[in-house]
Amino acid sequence: MAMLFRRVVIVAATSILTGGLATASVAEEYCPPQCPTGAIQLGISAPTSGPPAKFGLQTVKAAELFVRGLNAAGGLMGIPVKLRIDDDRCDPGQSVTVATMQVEQAKLNFVVGPTCPAAAMESTPVYAKGGVLQFVPTVTMADLTRKNPNNVFRVAATDEQQAQALASYLAHEQQGKKIAVVYTDIFYRRADARMVRAALPPEM
């Protein structure tokens, strides 16, 4: 997880150096010390309450540990990074509320999350409209970046990419054999199985 946040701040630094997103207004301030807080603001949208909190708090803790170490070492290019953590409860409606608040009130330019698929799908258009760079560490749905290609940076491979990689491996290692695709009866596993089946050569 620490590697994830290392990638986040590297991309954030690149964006700062190049003046941010082309869609952002000239009036927006990307680079401290001109920024009002004098720090790079990094938002987190993750479940920190309710049943999904066990998963969400791991993301938050990893972010806190990395940012603490980064700031102790002098910050990002000498600029401190400040976290803003908001609880989306892994709920699509709440994630939209969080995204709107982070964009319109906090005026963040960089956000990590949401970590839950449905929450990410609903909130990403809000971030896109606000010109916010969004780093998604866990969501594998291909539609997330297909529908929002300009502001979302993935860390995990999409379901389609994973299916293609698995099918390629099976086609190479089990050449000439028949393959049975077995899955648990959960809707997303069924979809994964179909993608693997579609990616396998017809003769398998």
Side-chain angles (χ1 to χ4, degrees):
M1 187 61 76
M3 284 299 298
L4 158 63
F5 291 98
R6 185 172 291 109
R7 292 170 186 164
V8 166
V9 294
I10 288 172
V11 177
T14 303
S15 300
I16 291 169
L17 288 172
T18 57
L21 288 175
T23 55
S25 68
V26 176
E28 288 179 323
E29 297 170 310
Y30 283 85
C31 189
Q34 290 77 25
C35 293
T37 63
I40 297 170
Q41 303 289 313
L42 176 62
I44 306 286
S45 177
T48 57
S49 65
K54 182 181 293 186
F55 174 71
L57 289 172
Q58 295 179 26
T59 300
V60 171
K61 186 65 175 178
E64 289 175 336
L65 288 172
F66 180 77
V67 169
R68 188 182 307 155
L70 180 69
N71 287 336
L76 177 63
M77 298 170 57
I79 304 167
V81 176
K82 184 177 180 180
L83 281 179
R84 176 194 169 101
I85 300 164
D86 290 292
D87 181 13
D88 62 25
R89 300 199 301 267
C90 212
D91 176 78
Q94 179 63 15
S95 72
V96 171
T97 300
V98 165
T100 302
M101 185 167 50
Q102 290 179 333
V103 172
E104 296 181 0
Q105 296 179 19
K107 300 190 182 303
L108 300 180
N109 294 313
F110 310 103
V111 171
V112 174
T115 56
C116 299
M121 288 299 296
E122 290 298 317
S123 61
T124 292
V126 178
Y127 292 121
K129 185 178 179 181
V132 174
L133 287 177
Q134 186 181 359
F135 305 91
V136 184
T138 56
V139 178
T140 58
M141 297 169 65
D143 275 352
L144 183 67
T145 41
R146 185 178 292 129
K147 293 180 178 179
N148 305 279
N150 296 322
N151 71 301
V152 178
F153 289 81
R154 311 192 77 114
V155 175
T158 69
D159 294 329
E160 289 178 353
Q161 290 170 329
Q162 294 179 51
Q164 290 166 359
L166 178 57
S168 177
Y169 171 81
L170 291 172
H172 181 267
E173 296 296 322
Q174 305 296 327
Q175 188 174 9
K177 298 179 182 179
K178 290 291 184 181
I179 298 293
V181 179
V182 182
Y183 58 93
T184 55
D185 194 20
I186 304 173
F187 74 96
Y188 62 88
R189 292 302 182 195
R190 192 178 304 119
D192 288 348
R194 288 186 184 128
M195 284 188 282
V196 173
R197 175 65 269 180
L200 285 169
E203 63 272 14
M204 296 187 76

